[in-house]
Amino acid sequence: MARLSVAINGEKRNYPLTERGIQIGRALDNDIVLNNVIVSRHHAHVSLRGREAWAIDLGSRNGISVNRLRVKEEQLQDGDMLQIGPFEIRYEDRAAQSVVFDDNQYFPLASEAREIKSGELPDMAIDLREFYRISKRLNSILDLHSLLDAVMEEVLRTVPAQRGILLLRKGTELVPMIIHPASQGDLAISSTITRKAVDANEAVLTRDARLDFAGSQSIISANIRSAICAPLISEGTASGLIYVDSAGRDQFNEQQRDMLAAVANLAATHIERARLTDALREQAQLRQNFERFMSPNVAQLMASYFVQHGQLWEPQELIVTVLFADVKDFTALSERLSPRDVQDLLNEYFHEMTEVIFRHNGTLDKYIGDGIMAVFGAPQLTKPIDPEESATQAVNAALDMVAAHQRLIERLDPAKAFAFRIGINSGPVYAGFFGTRQRLEYTVMGDTVNTASRLEGKADLNSTLISEATRRLVGDAFQLQAMGEFQLKGKAQLVHTYKVLGRHNALAASSRADA
């Protein structure tokens, strides 16, 4: 069972997500009451659809966001942040209860442990036919949550106990995923037992776990519990653990300890497979989405980052180079051609231009009608990109785009021939993912973008016009022709411009070859 957590008046509160869901708003009849004028009386609802959690806007005045993206209705993933007004509500895909590792609740006075190695099956620990049945069942389950439920069922069938807990490691934390039976309030287990199991890869059996509570015999008796704790071993380290206990002394024996260790070892393999499958599936889908506007290598990095960190790359203030390319008199061309011919022509043109942009490590920002906007120098994933390098890549790309356009025109029917223009400018932008989860785009914003667009409109046909800012960054790498100063729309100052004639030296040629 998942939960929502939110800080209200400085106090963190947790709310278990049940079948009836959780209603959020300003009115007192909500499950989560957020007393703020920005919050509507009945603002949002988080509901369960099978095992999926969905956040739904109830027609609120100011809407809801998931991970800073405005949504109407969105499936929640573990770690997602639902924002309602000034409140940030975290969705946690885990058992609703918290587990407290505390030996003050009851302390293991005596314990026995057995070292467990990955793939090990203790001698005579479990009937092989039963072990095969469990393995076959777990192997047939692909969904992680269903798999965890099945593991706990098999654990409690193999080792009857009053309580069963399955925890998985997420980063440095052991997060409870299954607690059986579910109850209200926090659940305390022994930190000594769990630490020994996780750190030493040992299945631990306690025969006499109790609390010495100021001589109160009734409290001592009530807190005596026997426990077994077995690590989930994956590649030699504990990726989680299974903990079972029952009230009283001597509730378990060594054979049951070994039986639990065997089931835990088997379960660890299937759990790791399910987690890896989920991660690969998500990464493949993300990479496919990113490859619409990024070169494949950048798309792979972005997808890997999202899977690892659970969120998109943070917006960045960067120095980049922006390229605009636009077809001249495309409206007149469209009047001469059928709609199908226009579509085919645009698709071929976009394909050729995009291939060049990606080859020079550019990011396709968007298609704008018959225009293209590309960015060089963003996103910056692993290390800063030198603005001189990205400016040189942009101008090299522009020259190759002109050459690719020429090759395209040569193989087209003369009636379909068209001209285009390119404008390039360099400077500061705000770069990041913007939009909604349904339509998400990586883009850059700022005056640098507007200037690049205006320069494209001033360029000669089938040529590239760059700004003074870009010229300073590329240095002597290209042959340039000064085109004077232009008064661009929306610009108070005149903009010095240069027409790109070709590559000037070996440095630019080398940059082209490397791209």
Side-chain angles (χ1 to χ4, degrees), residues 254-427:
E254 290 88 347
Q255 183 181 10
Q256 289 173 318
R257 177 199 62 195
D258 292 348
M259 290 167 66
L260 181 61
V263 175
N265 232 329
L266 177 64
T269 301
H270 293 287
I271 291 171
E272 192 63 23
R273 178 209 64 196
R275 296 176 86 175
L276 181 59
T277 299
D278 284 350
L280 290 175
R281 186 186 299 114
E282 182 179 13
Q283 185 169 322
Q285 182 62 54
L286 287 167
R287 185 176 68 249
Q288 183 178 2
N289 292 339
F290 291 145
E291 282 180 352
R292 293 186 296 109
F293 47 89
M294 294 177 179
S295 58
N297 58 324
V298 177
Q300 176 64 48
L301 285 172
M302 293 294 286
S304 299
Y305 179 89
F306 185 87
V307 170
Q308 180 180 356
H309 298 280
Q311 63 183 21
L312 294 169
W313 201 263
E314 292 288 341
Q316 302 166 294
E317 292 185 15
L318 304 172
I319 303 297
V320 305
T321 296
V322 180
L323 179 153
F324 272 89
D326 196 39
V327 175
K328 174 66 174 174
D329 295 330
F330 190 77
T331 301
L333 181 65
S334 300
E335 293 175 351
R336 301 197 307 268
L337 303 176
S338 69
R340 179 60 179 271
D341 286 341
V342 171
Q343 181 185 24
D344 291 344
L345 182 59
L346 265 184
N347 285 342
E348 192 168 5
Y349 164 69
F350 284 153
H351 173 75
E352 294 291 341
M353 299 300 105
T354 303
E355 284 288 308
V356 173
I357 291 167
F358 286 171
R359 194 162 64 244
H360 290 275
N361 294 322
T363 295
L364 176 65
D365 189 294
K366 61 177 68 71
Y367 298 125
I368 312 169
D370 55 6
I372 298 172
M373 175 181 168
V375 182
F376 296 80
Q380 296 187 12
L381 300 177
T382 56
K383 61 180 180 180
I385 298 176
D386 187 344
E388 294 182 1
E389 177 185 356
S390 56
T392 302
Q393 289 173 332
V395 179
N396 268 313
L399 288 172
D400 286 352
M401 289 169 72
V402 171
H405 168 263
Q406 181 60 39
R407 291 193 298 271
L408 174 63
I409 296 303
E410 289 174 355
R411 66 174 183 264
L412 287 175
D413 185 315
K416 298 181 180 180
F418 62 92
F420 82 135
R421 301 175 298 204
I422 298 175
I424 296 177
N425 183 40
S426 304

Side-chain angles (χ1 to χ4, degrees), residues 204-246:
V204 181
L205 164 66
T206 68
R207 295 183 177 278
D208 186 3
R210 62 180 176 177
L211 173 67
D212 185 1
F213 207 102
S216 173
Q217 189 60 44
S218 61
I219 296 179
I220 292 174
S221 299
N223 284 275
I224 293 175
R225 303 190 72 87
S226 300
I228 308 176
C229 184
L232 297 164
I233 306 297
S234 176
E235 296 184 357
T237 59
S239 60
L241 60 85
I242 297 173
Y243 190 106
V244 298
D245 68 3
S246 293

Side-chain angles (χ1 to χ4, degrees), residues 21-76:
I22 298 177
Q23 186 157 298
I24 308 168
R26 194 176 73 250
L28 294 177
D29 59 348
N30 291 285
D31 300 299
I32 301 179
V33 179
L34 304 178
N35 188 16
N36 189 282
V37 294
I38 298 178
V39 180
S40 298
R41 287 180 54 80
H42 299 101
H43 199 111
H45 191 269
V46 178
S47 62
L48 284 176
R49 300 175 184 173
R51 291 186 174 275
E52 297 175 351
W54 287 77
I56 304 162
D57 184 359
L58 298 179
S60 64
R61 183 172 62 254
N62 294 301
I64 65 176
S65 297
V66 174
N67 300 333
R68 301 187 306 275
L69 300 174
R70 188 72 172 263
V71 300
K72 284 292 185 182
E73 182 176 307
E74 185 66 27
Q75 182 182 349
L76 298 176

